[in-house]
Amino acid sequence: DIQMTQSPSSVSASVGDRVTITCRANEDIGRWLAWYQQKPGKAPKLLIWGASNLQGGVPSKFSGSGSGTQFTLTISSLQPDDFASYYCQQTDNFPWTFGQGTKVELK
Amino acid sequence: EVKLVQSGAEVKKPGESLKISCKGSGQEFPNYWIGWVRQMPGKGLEWMGIIYPGDSDTTYNPSFQGQVTISADKSIGTSYLQWSSLEASDTALYYCVTFYRAGQSVPGAFDVWGQGTVVTVSS
């Protein structure tokens, strides 16, 4: 199985901060990577697909980059609605796997 | 865009069987890959498997193979996740999702999520 490792596991940030989350795969997955946001008690929501493509309706303050084994999700100018957990996922090879998640908390 | 509506919360005893459902709206349901994702209490997301309702082609995560059965009835736009003998460790929130990609060589992702079904297994 492809292992996806996110860092950090949690981050404390303030409104207006820029936050970057890293996701590493233990083998090359090309650009077959997606990012999801999950708020407490809610289903996850797709933010980014294909490593850097913004899903329709997702604000442009979210951006993704990377390819191969290292990827990043950046949230520019954090707003109260952005405090949530974020997960990366590879869909390059079965079984598809998720990172363990990164919780973005209010400082 | 298809919308997914899942069946309600279940409370079961160990050893019991269970089948939960995920109904998709829209006529395009048979043409979407439908996946299932587990989230154990306080934990992350785990992909369980995926099915193409059009022909019931199914792929399982080996971690779940033999533990659950994923099926679909394209005539009523519904996918199912079932257990023949539940264990306490099956207690979790289960999501159905659609897997979308624009083309064979285009990365796909889970673009639509159901609201989730909570399954509690306790004696």
Side-chain angles (χ1 to χ4, degrees), chain A residues 31-32 34 36 38 42-44 46 49-50 55 87 89 91 94-96 98, chain B residues 39 43-45 47 50 59 61 95 99 101 106-111 113-114:
Chain A
R31 297 179 62 83
W32 292 71
Y36 302 88
Q38 186 178 32
K42 299 293 186 181
L46 175 64
W49 57 274
Q55 176 69 351
Y87 294 90
Q89 179 205 22
T91 56
F94 290 130
W96 296 336
F98 291 91
Chain B
Q39 187 167 37
K43 302 298 184 183
L45 305 170
W47 172 70
I50 196 161
T59 299
N61 181 333
Y95 292 105
F99 175 71
R101 61 184 179 189
V106 178
F110 294 158
D111 66 330
W113 293 67

Side-chain angles (χ1 to χ4, degrees), chain B residues 16 22 28 46 54 60 68 77 85 89-90 92 94 108-109 115 120:
Chain B
E16 292 185 331
C22 169
E28 293 300 311
E46 301 171 272
Y60 290 94
V68 297
S85 181
S89 59
D90 294 316
Y94 294 88
Q115 84 277 18
T120 303

Side-chain angles (χ1 to χ4, degrees), chain A residues 2-3 12 33 40-41 43 46-47 51 54 63 70 74 78 85 95 99 104:
Chain A
I2 296 177
Q3 305 299 318
S12 295
L33 185 103
L46 175 64
L47 298 176
L54 199 65
S63 63
Q70 185 156 338
T74 299
L78 208 61
S85 293
V104 178

Side-chain angles (χ1 to χ4, degrees), chain A residues 16-94:
Chain A
D17 283 353
R18 179 185 180 96
V19 171
T20 297
I21 300 168
T22 297
C23 177
R24 288 187 174 86
N26 67 345
E27 57 184 89
D28 191 335
I29 60 169
R31 297 179 62 83
W32 292 71
L33 185 103
W35 289 98
Y36 302 88
Q37 175 194 64
Q38 186 178 32
K39 298 178 182 178
K42 299 293 186 181
K45 172 187 173 182
L46 175 64
L47 298 176
I48 302 281
W49 57 274
S52 61
N53 298 284
L54 199 65
Q55 176 69 351
V58 174
S60 58
K61 63 179 170 181
F62 292 97
S63 63
S65 65
S67 66
T69 62
Q70 185 156 338
F71 304 86
T72 59
L73 172 71
T74 299
I75 312 169
S76 64
S77 188
L78 208 61
Q79 296 303 305
D81 192 49
D82 303 327
F83 292 96
S85 293
Y86 294 85
Y87 294 90
C88 63
Q89 179 205 22
Q90 67 84 16
T91 56
D92 183 44
N93 281 322
F94 290 130

